[in-house]
Amino acid sequence: MNNDNEIKDIIARVNRIPVWSLPYSFLIIIGIGYFFTFYDISDIGFAMPAISTQFHIGASTSLFLALSVGLIGYAFGSYIIGSIADVFGRYKSMIITMALTAIGSFGDAISFNVPELTIARFVTGLGLGADLNLVSGYISEFAPPQWRGRITVYTFIIGILGQAITPFIALGLVPVYYNGWRYLFAIGGIIAVIALLLRFELPESPRWLAIKSGNLEKAKSVLKMMEDTAEKRFGKLPDPHPEDVDLKEYEQKFPTLYLFEGKTGKIYSKRLTILVFMWFFWYIGNYAFLGDAATMLADAHISLASSILYLAIGAIGYPVGAIIMALTADKYERKYVIFFDTVIWFIGLIIFSLKTEPTLLAGSFMASLALGMYLQVAYTYTAENYPTRARASGFALTDGIGHIGGALGAIILPIIVASYTFKTGFIFIAITGLIAGLISLLGPRASRETLEKISS
């Protein structure tokens, strides 16, 4: 049997597995890493008011430190480490990302001036941006087609708790202790170290091992473990069909080039364009809400503690949204689910813009619910749309360029609120989120399909 036939056989054997074929503890390990990711995305917004006061920096510098530096790191880390993952493997790259986030988070905690904090935020961003990219692709390469959405959401439920719990931790630290913001970052660093140590238990993707590394024996070893686990849970596995596997993505090119050259390049360039604009418009509102909402409420003469409390109560919507997606993610076509999620976002932000105590609570809950519903389904959909040999770098380009919208949104929202009204600003980010949902409808179908079929 030549290499091509062996590779086809390995991929066909992976595709025939109808259940999650790794220990369930691995989902928890991946979820803990996600927990830190969403913890850090939230903690900077709650820490910045105290940092601004202690470091004597203005609003524009505060915004730059809080979001722009981290997002620049996201973009660089996502693409550079994403490309490394396509060339050198998912496993090694996922170790690198969590190590960077741990270093960056402890660096945040011990920063005593603006330059130190800037460097720490950039390092944290390098790891976070790449990790969001890698985890979705990694899970997609192990999960069976009919359960791919649900399984990715299971890990996301653990992760999104980080975004739900962070406001309560911040409420107990930032307004109470002078160094409360430092403790907030240090807790994140401890979580990142735990996630890093646990990740050493994870295997490499057999798809990547077969297609990119050429280490067929290692791929077969991991696959044998997967099949043994699957047979215990499912019984006799269906027969593999290697004749259905197309190896056109096996050419040895630099991963990014594969997305732009020849006939396949036209397909992936179109998908890249759709997904970049989808994430660009989504991130405008996402980062504006997460990074600016507490400050905007404080500027509207609501105390910092009350502002955090409103957002903390609303943050209960994050895990609720993720649980809803765990029950529905694979029942309906992914892009329609994404659109529905953005409709919930739109309604929630319209309600939030009314700025009364009941509407702030209800709107915060609905916006958080939409975020919990949207993120992992959209991450999964993005990863599914690229081929195995360029999945990480394709996702990285999409997410990295899309984050430009996040940087703009975080800066634009305060300008709109200052120039017009609180209501106008939050209606604006409600609309940008809905636009993201409309753009997603232009993408291909992906639910319950093999990764190779989606890539064709």
mmCIF file of all heavy atoms in Angstrom, residues 110-150:
data_model
loop_
_atom_site.group_PDB
_atom_site.id
_atom_site.type_symbol
_atom_site.label_atom_id
_atom_site.label_comp_id
_atom_site.label_asym_id
_atom_site.label_seq_id
_atom_site.Cartn_x
_atom_site.Cartn_y
_atom_site.Cartn_z
ATOM 1 N N ILE A 110 2.118 41.979 37.552
ATOM 2 C CA ILE A 110 3.279 42.594 38.213
ATOM 3 C C ILE A 110 3.752 43.859 37.491
ATOM 4 O O ILE A 110 4.821 44.391 37.806
ATOM 5 C CB ILE A 110 4.454 41.599 38.326
ATOM 6 C CG1 ILE A 110 4.938 41.170 36.932
ATOM 7 C CG2 ILE A 110 4.054 40.402 39.167
ATOM 8 C CD1 ILE A 110 6.205 40.311 36.969
ATOM 9 N N SER A 111 2.954 44.365 36.544
ATOM 10 C CA SER A 111 3.337 45.587 35.828
ATOM 11 C C SER A 111 3.207 46.804 36.739
ATOM 12 O O SER A 111 2.223 46.940 37.468
ATOM 13 C CB SER A 111 2.448 45.770 34.596
ATOM 14 O OG SER A 111 2.655 44.731 33.666
ATOM 15 N N PHE A 112 4.197 47.691 36.669
ATOM 16 C CA PHE A 112 4.182 48.893 37.499
ATOM 17 C C PHE A 112 4.217 50.180 36.683
ATOM 18 O O PHE A 112 4.298 51.267 37.242
ATOM 19 C CB PHE A 112 5.358 48.865 38.486
ATOM 20 C CG PHE A 112 5.137 47.897 39.613
ATOM 21 C CD1 PHE A 112 5.637 46.605 39.537
ATOM 22 C CD2 PHE A 112 4.400 48.257 40.731
ATOM 23 C CE1 PHE A 112 5.423 45.696 40.569
ATOM 24 C CE2 PHE A 112 4.186 47.361 41.767
ATOM 25 C CZ PHE A 112 4.694 46.078 41.682
ATOM 26 N N ASN A 113 4.159 50.043 35.359
ATOM 27 C CA ASN A 113 4.100 51.233 34.517
ATOM 28 C C ASN A 113 3.486 50.858 33.173
ATOM 29 O O ASN A 113 3.258 49.671 32.889
ATOM 30 C CB ASN A 113 5.486 51.864 34.336
ATOM 31 C CG ASN A 113 6.516 50.867 33.831
ATOM 32 O OD1 ASN A 113 6.299 50.199 32.832
ATOM 33 N ND2 ASN A 113 7.639 50.768 34.540
ATOM 34 N N VAL A 114 3.236 51.859 32.363
ATOM 35 C CA VAL A 114 2.560 51.646 31.086
ATOM 36 C C VAL A 114 3.372 50.760 30.139
ATOM 37 O O VAL A 114 2.812 49.828 29.529
ATOM 38 C CB VAL A 114 2.212 52.993 30.422
ATOM 39 C CG1 VAL A 114 1.704 52.786 28.999
ATOM 40 C CG2 VAL A 114 1.157 53.729 31.254
ATOM 41 N N PRO A 115 4.680 50.970 29.945
ATOM 42 C CA PRO A 115 5.433 50.094 29.030
ATOM 43 C C PRO A 115 5.381 48.622 29.441
ATOM 44 O O PRO A 115 5.238 47.735 28.585
ATOM 45 C CB PRO A 115 6.864 50.650 29.104
ATOM 46 C CG PRO A 115 6.693 52.075 29.468
ATOM 47 C CD PRO A 115 5.526 52.100 30.416
ATOM 48 N N GLU A 116 5.507 48.342 30.732
ATOM 49 C CA GLU A 116 5.469 46.948 31.197
ATOM 50 C C GLU A 116 4.106 46.321 30.911
ATOM 51 O O GLU A 116 4.018 45.169 30.443
ATOM 52 C CB GLU A 116 5.771 46.879 32.697
ATOM 53 C CG GLU A 116 7.206 47.198 33.051
ATOM 54 C CD GLU A 116 7.453 47.176 34.547
ATOM 55 O OE1 GLU A 116 6.500 46.876 35.303
ATOM 56 O OE2 GLU A 116 8.590 47.479 34.966
ATOM 57 N N LEU A 117 3.052 47.063 31.192
ATOM 58 C CA LEU A 117 1.707 46.542 30.957
ATOM 59 C C LEU A 117 1.459 46.341 29.463
ATOM 60 O O LEU A 117 0.818 45.365 29.061
ATOM 61 C CB LEU A 117 0.660 47.489 31.544
ATOM 62 C CG LEU A 117 -0.799 47.037 31.439
ATOM 63 C CD1 LEU A 117 -1.012 45.718 32.178
ATOM 64 C CD2 LEU A 117 -1.737 48.105 31.993
ATOM 65 N N THR A 118 1.979 47.240 28.646
ATOM 66 C CA THR A 118 1.815 47.123 27.198
ATOM 67 C C THR A 118 2.446 45.837 26.681
ATOM 68 O O THR A 118 1.844 45.093 25.895
ATOM 69 C CB THR A 118 2.447 48.335 26.487
ATOM 70 O OG1 THR A 118 1.820 49.531 26.946
ATOM 71 C CG2 THR A 118 2.287 48.233 24.980
ATOM 72 N N ILE A 119 3.666 45.563 27.130
ATOM 73 C CA ILE A 119 4.359 44.331 26.706
ATOM 74 C C ILE A 119 3.592 43.104 27.173
ATOM 75 O O ILE A 119 3.393 42.142 26.422
ATOM 76 C CB ILE A 119 5.808 44.315 27.251
ATOM 77 C CG1 ILE A 119 6.623 45.428 26.590
ATOM 78 C CG2 ILE A 119 6.460 42.957 27.006
ATOM 79 C CD1 ILE A 119 7.992 45.644 27.233
ATOM 80 N N ALA A 120 3.147 43.121 28.429
ATOM 81 C CA ALA A 120 2.426 41.973 28.985
ATOM 82 C C ALA A 120 1.123 41.722 28.240
ATOM 83 O O ALA A 120 0.765 40.576 27.951
ATOM 84 C CB ALA A 120 2.152 42.190 30.475
ATOM 85 N N ARG A 121 0.388 42.805 27.905
ATOM 86 C CA ARG A 121 -0.865 42.643 27.173
ATOM 87 C C ARG A 121 -0.619 42.063 25.779
ATOM 88 O O ARG A 121 -1.390 41.259 25.275
ATOM 89 C CB ARG A 121 -1.598 43.977 27.045
ATOM 90 C CG ARG A 121 -2.195 44.512 28.328
ATOM 91 C CD ARG A 121 -3.031 43.501 29.072
ATOM 92 N NE ARG A 121 -4.140 42.986 28.269
ATOM 93 C CZ ARG A 121 -4.809 41.872 28.547
ATOM 94 N NH1 ARG A 121 -4.486 41.139 29.592
ATOM 95 N NH2 ARG A 121 -5.813 41.498 27.787
ATOM 96 N N PHE A 122 0.485 42.482 25.149
ATOM 97 C CA PHE A 122 0.808 41.965 23.820
ATOM 98 C C PHE A 122 1.118 40.471 23.882
ATOM 99 O O PHE A 122 0.631 39.690 23.056
ATOM 100 C CB PHE A 122 2.005 42.724 23.241
ATOM 101 C CG PHE A 122 2.388 42.273 21.851
ATOM 102 C CD1 PHE A 122 1.655 42.678 20.743
ATOM 103 C CD2 PHE A 122 3.469 41.426 21.670
ATOM 104 C CE1 PHE A 122 1.998 42.250 19.465
ATOM 105 C CE2 PHE A 122 3.820 40.990 20.396
ATOM 106 C CZ PHE A 122 3.085 41.407 19.288
ATOM 107 N N VAL A 123 1.913 40.059 24.877
ATOM 108 C CA VAL A 123 2.253 38.634 25.026
ATOM 109 C C VAL A 123 0.993 37.812 25.303
ATOM 110 O O VAL A 123 0.798 36.730 24.726
ATOM 111 C CB VAL A 123 3.288 38.435 26.156
ATOM 112 C CG1 VAL A 123 3.498 36.951 26.445
ATOM 113 C CG2 VAL A 123 4.610 39.084 25.776
ATOM 114 N N THR A 124 0.141 38.328 26.174
ATOM 115 C CA THR A 124 -1.122 37.640 26.455
ATOM 116 C C THR A 124 -1.941 37.492 25.187
ATOM 117 O O THR A 124 -2.500 36.423 24.909
ATOM 118 C CB THR A 124 -1.949 38.417 27.508
ATOM 119 O OG1 THR A 124 -1.157 38.650 28.662
ATOM 120 C CG2 THR A 124 -3.185 37.630 27.911
ATOM 121 N N GLY A 125 -2.005 38.568 24.398
ATOM 122 C CA GLY A 125 -2.748 38.528 23.145
ATOM 123 C C GLY A 125 -2.204 37.512 22.167
ATOM 124 O O GLY A 125 -2.966 36.834 21.470
ATOM 125 N N LEU A 126 -0.871 37.377 22.098
ATOM 126 C CA LEU A 126 -0.266 36.377 21.211
ATOM 127 C C LEU A 126 -0.832 34.982 21.497
ATOM 128 O O LEU A 126 -1.209 34.247 20.583
ATOM 129 C CB LEU A 126 1.257 36.355 21.405
ATOM 130 C CG LEU A 126 2.095 37.485 20.823
ATOM 131 C CD1 LEU A 126 3.554 37.321 21.241
ATOM 132 C CD2 LEU A 126 1.994 37.509 19.295
ATOM 133 N N GLY A 127 -0.863 34.635 22.774
ATOM 134 C CA GLY A 127 -1.345 33.304 23.148
ATOM 135 C C GLY A 127 -2.833 33.139 22.967
ATOM 136 O O GLY A 127 -3.302 32.123 22.440
ATOM 137 N N LEU A 128 -3.610 34.151 23.375
ATOM 138 C CA LEU A 128 -5.069 34.042 23.315
ATOM 139 C C LEU A 128 -5.573 33.934 21.883
ATOM 140 O O LEU A 128 -6.436 33.111 21.574
ATOM 141 C CB LEU A 128 -5.710 35.246 23.998
ATOM 142 C CG LEU A 128 -5.613 35.330 25.515
ATOM 143 C CD1 LEU A 128 -6.294 36.587 26.017
ATOM 144 C CD2 LEU A 128 -6.236 34.104 26.161
ATOM 145 N N GLY A 129 -5.052 34.799 21.000
ATOM 146 C CA GLY A 129 -5.519 34.777 19.626
ATOM 147 C C GLY A 129 -5.265 33.448 18.962
ATOM 148 O O GLY A 129 -6.123 32.906 18.249
ATOM 149 N N ALA A 130 -4.082 32.891 19.197
ATOM 150 C CA ALA A 130 -3.751 31.606 18.599
ATOM 151 C C ALA A 130 -4.573 30.477 19.217
ATOM 152 O O ALA A 130 -4.990 29.542 18.520
ATOM 153 C CB ALA A 130 -2.261 31.326 18.776
ATOM 154 N N ASP A 131 -4.825 30.555 20.517
ATOM 155 C CA ASP A 131 -5.542 29.459 21.172
ATOM 156 C C ASP A 131 -6.987 29.362 20.691
ATOM 157 O O ASP A 131 -7.502 28.258 20.477
ATOM 158 C CB ASP A 131 -5.507 29.641 22.690
ATOM 159 C CG ASP A 131 -5.604 28.319 23.420
ATOM 160 O OD1 ASP A 131 -4.714 27.477 23.226
ATOM 161 O OD2 ASP A 131 -6.574 28.125 24.172
ATOM 162 N N LEU A 132 -7.654 30.507 20.527
ATOM 163 C CA LEU A 132 -9.014 30.487 19.991
ATOM 164 C C LEU A 132 -9.041 29.812 18.634
ATOM 165 O O LEU A 132 -9.971 29.066 18.292
ATOM 166 C CB LEU A 132 -9.547 31.918 19.868
ATOM 167 C CG LEU A 132 -9.970 32.608 21.160
ATOM 168 C CD1 LEU A 132 -10.292 34.072 20.890
ATOM 169 C CD2 LEU A 132 -11.171 31.911 21.781
ATOM 170 N N ASN A 133 -8.027 30.074 17.852
ATOM 171 C CA ASN A 133 -7.888 29.481 16.529
ATOM 172 C C ASN A 133 -7.697 27.966 16.624
ATOM 173 O O ASN A 133 -8.427 27.178 16.010
ATOM 174 C CB ASN A 133 -6.684 30.173 15.850
ATOM 175 C CG ASN A 133 -6.121 29.420 14.665
ATOM 176 O OD1 ASN A 133 -6.643 28.409 14.219
ATOM 177 N ND2 ASN A 133 -5.014 29.921 14.157
ATOM 178 N N LEU A 134 -6.725 27.545 17.420
ATOM 179 C CA LEU A 134 -6.304 26.146 17.426
ATOM 180 C C LEU A 134 -7.319 25.201 18.041
ATOM 181 O O LEU A 134 -7.520 24.090 17.545
ATOM 182 C CB LEU A 134 -4.972 26.027 18.179
ATOM 183 C CG LEU A 134 -3.774 26.709 17.515
ATOM 184 C CD1 LEU A 134 -2.574 26.673 18.446
ATOM 185 C CD2 LEU A 134 -3.446 26.030 16.202
ATOM 186 N N VAL A 135 -7.951 25.611 19.130
ATOM 187 C CA VAL A 135 -8.850 24.703 19.840
ATOM 188 C C VAL A 135 -10.018 24.275 18.953
ATOM 189 O O VAL A 135 -10.365 23.089 18.900
ATOM 190 C CB VAL A 135 -9.355 25.349 21.140
ATOM 191 C CG1 VAL A 135 -10.500 24.545 21.735
ATOM 192 C CG2 VAL A 135 -8.219 25.449 22.148
ATOM 193 N N SER A 136 -10.620 25.216 18.240
ATOM 194 C CA SER A 136 -11.762 24.869 17.384
ATOM 195 C C SER A 136 -11.358 23.899 16.288
ATOM 196 O O SER A 136 -12.058 22.921 16.005
ATOM 197 C CB SER A 136 -12.351 26.141 16.768
ATOM 198 O OG SER A 136 -12.871 26.991 17.759
ATOM 199 N N GLY A 137 -10.203 24.158 15.655
ATOM 200 C CA GLY A 137 -9.739 23.254 14.613
ATOM 201 C C GLY A 137 -9.363 21.893 15.155
ATOM 202 O O GLY A 137 -9.644 20.859 14.535
ATOM 203 N N TYR A 138 -8.740 21.876 16.325
ATOM 204 C CA TYR A 138 -8.305 20.624 16.949
ATOM 205 C C TYR A 138 -9.510 19.717 17.235
ATOM 206 O O TYR A 138 -9.517 18.533 16.877
ATOM 207 C CB TYR A 138 -7.561 20.946 18.235
ATOM 208 C CG TYR A 138 -7.049 19.747 19.003
ATOM 209 C CD1 TYR A 138 -5.864 19.127 18.653
ATOM 210 C CD2 TYR A 138 -7.750 19.244 20.101
ATOM 211 C CE1 TYR A 138 -5.379 18.033 19.369
ATOM 212 C CE2 TYR A 138 -7.286 18.161 20.823
ATOM 213 C CZ TYR A 138 -6.092 17.559 20.453
ATOM 214 O OH TYR A 138 -5.628 16.470 21.163
ATOM 215 N N ILE A 139 -10.520 20.288 17.862
ATOM 216 C CA ILE A 139 -11.711 19.490 18.183
ATOM 217 C C ILE A 139 -12.397 19.022 16.903
ATOM 218 O O ILE A 139 -12.849 17.865 16.804
ATOM 219 C CB ILE A 139 -12.681 20.290 19.054
ATOM 220 C CG1 ILE A 139 -12.043 20.616 20.400
ATOM 221 C CG2 ILE A 139 -13.985 19.517 19.277
ATOM 222 C CD1 ILE A 139 -12.850 21.543 21.262
ATOM 223 N N SER A 140 -12.480 19.884 15.898
ATOM 224 C CA SER A 140 -13.141 19.525 14.642
ATOM 225 C C SER A 140 -12.487 18.318 13.985
ATOM 226 O O SER A 140 -13.162 17.516 13.337
ATOM 227 C CB SER A 140 -13.111 20.714 13.672
ATOM 228 O OG SER A 140 -13.893 21.776 14.148
ATOM 229 N N GLU A 141 -11.178 18.172 14.151
ATOM 230 C CA GLU A 141 -10.468 17.070 13.511
ATOM 231 C C GLU A 141 -10.643 15.740 14.242
ATOM 232 O O GLU A 141 -10.325 14.686 13.703
ATOM 233 C CB GLU A 141 -8.988 17.426 13.358
ATOM 234 C CG GLU A 141 -8.793 18.544 12.338
ATOM 235 C CD GLU A 141 -7.338 18.926 12.115
ATOM 236 O OE1 GLU A 141 -6.450 18.186 12.601
ATOM 237 O OE2 GLU A 141 -7.087 19.946 11.467
ATOM 238 N N PHE A 142 -11.145 15.776 15.462
ATOM 239 C CA PHE A 142 -11.426 14.546 16.207
ATOM 240 C C PHE A 142 -12.919 14.199 16.237
ATOM 241 O O PHE A 142 -13.280 13.028 16.345
ATOM 242 C CB PHE A 142 -10.938 14.684 17.656
ATOM 243 C CG PHE A 142 -9.463 14.498 17.830
ATOM 244 C CD1 PHE A 142 -8.623 15.594 17.916
ATOM 245 C CD2 PHE A 142 -8.906 13.237 17.893
ATOM 246 C CE1 PHE A 142 -7.248 15.440 18.080
ATOM 247 C CE2 PHE A 142 -7.529 13.053 18.050
ATOM 248 C CZ PHE A 142 -6.705 14.162 18.145
ATOM 249 N N ALA A 143 -13.772 15.184 16.173
ATOM 250 C CA ALA A 143 -15.205 14.961 16.384
ATOM 251 C C ALA A 143 -15.877 14.380 15.147
ATOM 252 O O ALA A 143 -15.543 14.748 14.020
ATOM 253 C CB ALA A 143 -15.875 16.278 16.766
ATOM 254 N N PRO A 144 -16.847 13.480 15.329
ATOM 255 C CA PRO A 144 -17.601 12.949 14.195
ATOM 256 C C PRO A 144 -18.495 14.026 13.590
ATOM 257 O O PRO A 144 -18.942 14.934 14.307
ATOM 258 C CB PRO A 144 -18.433 11.819 14.815
ATOM 259 C CG PRO A 144 -18.553 12.177 16.259
ATOM 260 C CD PRO A 144 -17.286 12.899 16.610
ATOM 261 N N PRO A 145 -18.745 13.967 12.269
ATOM 262 C CA PRO A 145 -19.506 15.029 11.596
ATOM 263 C C PRO A 145 -20.844 15.346 12.245
ATOM 264 O O PRO A 145 -21.206 16.511 12.402
ATOM 265 C CB PRO A 145 -19.685 14.479 10.174
ATOM 266 C CG PRO A 145 -18.541 13.549 9.978
ATOM 267 C CD PRO A 145 -18.294 12.927 11.324
ATOM 268 N N GLN A 146 -21.595 14.306 12.637
ATOM 269 C CA GLN A 146 -22.939 14.521 13.150
ATOM 270 C C GLN A 146 -22.963 15.084 14.574
ATOM 271 O O GLN A 146 -24.006 15.520 15.056
ATOM 272 C CB GLN A 146 -23.751 13.226 13.091
ATOM 273 C CG GLN A 146 -23.249 12.099 13.980
ATOM 274 C CD GLN A 146 -22.199 11.236 13.303
ATOM 275 O OE1 GLN A 146 -21.426 11.698 12.470
ATOM 276 N NE2 GLN A 146 -22.169 9.955 13.661
ATOM 277 N N TRP A 147 -21.789 15.083 15.234
ATOM 278 C CA TRP A 147 -21.724 15.593 16.607
ATOM 279 C C TRP A 147 -20.720 16.724 16.763
ATOM 280 O O TRP A 147 -20.482 17.190 17.870
ATOM 281 C CB TRP A 147 -21.317 14.457 17.583
ATOM 282 C CG TRP A 147 -22.324 13.363 17.669
ATOM 283 C CD1 TRP A 147 -22.269 12.142 17.072
ATOM 284 C CD2 TRP A 147 -23.564 13.381 18.390
ATOM 285 N NE1 TRP A 147 -23.380 11.396 17.378
ATOM 286 C CE2 TRP A 147 -24.190 12.127 18.183
ATOM 287 C CE3 TRP A 147 -24.189 14.334 19.186
ATOM 288 C CZ2 TRP A 147 -25.419 11.824 18.743
ATOM 289 C CZ3 TRP A 147 -25.424 14.017 19.752
ATOM 290 C CH2 TRP A 147 -26.017 12.771 19.526
ATOM 291 N N ARG A 148 -20.125 17.181 15.669
ATOM 292 C CA ARG A 148 -19.021 18.134 15.747
ATOM 293 C C ARG A 148 -19.432 19.431 16.462
ATOM 294 O O ARG A 148 -18.709 19.945 17.312
ATOM 295 C CB ARG A 148 -18.503 18.437 14.341
ATOM 296 C CG ARG A 148 -17.190 19.197 14.329
ATOM 297 C CD ARG A 148 -16.485 19.068 12.983
ATOM 298 N NE ARG A 148 -17.358 19.391 11.875
ATOM 299 C CZ ARG A 148 -17.630 18.564 10.858
ATOM 300 N NH1 ARG A 148 -17.066 17.372 10.812
ATOM 301 N NH2 ARG A 148 -18.435 18.931 9.885
ATOM 302 N N GLY A 149 -20.583 19.969 16.102
ATOM 303 C CA GLY A 149 -21.030 21.210 16.734
ATOM 304 C C GLY A 149 -21.278 21.037 18.213
ATOM 305 O O GLY A 149 -20.853 21.862 19.024
ATOM 306 N N ARG A 150 -21.942 19.954 18.586
ATOM 307 C CA ARG A 150 -22.279 19.741 19.991
ATOM 308 C C ARG A 150 -21.030 19.529 20.844
ATOM 309 O O ARG A 150 -20.916 20.079 21.945
ATOM 310 C CB ARG A 150 -23.214 18.539 20.136
ATOM 311 C CG ARG A 150 -23.596 18.229 21.573
ATOM 312 C CD ARG A 150 -24.603 17.104 21.668
ATOM 313 N NE ARG A 150 -25.876 17.479 21.067
ATOM 314 C CZ ARG A 150 -26.976 16.726 21.139
ATOM 315 N NH1 ARG A 150 -26.938 15.556 21.774
ATOM 316 N NH2 ARG A 150 -28.093 17.118 20.574
#
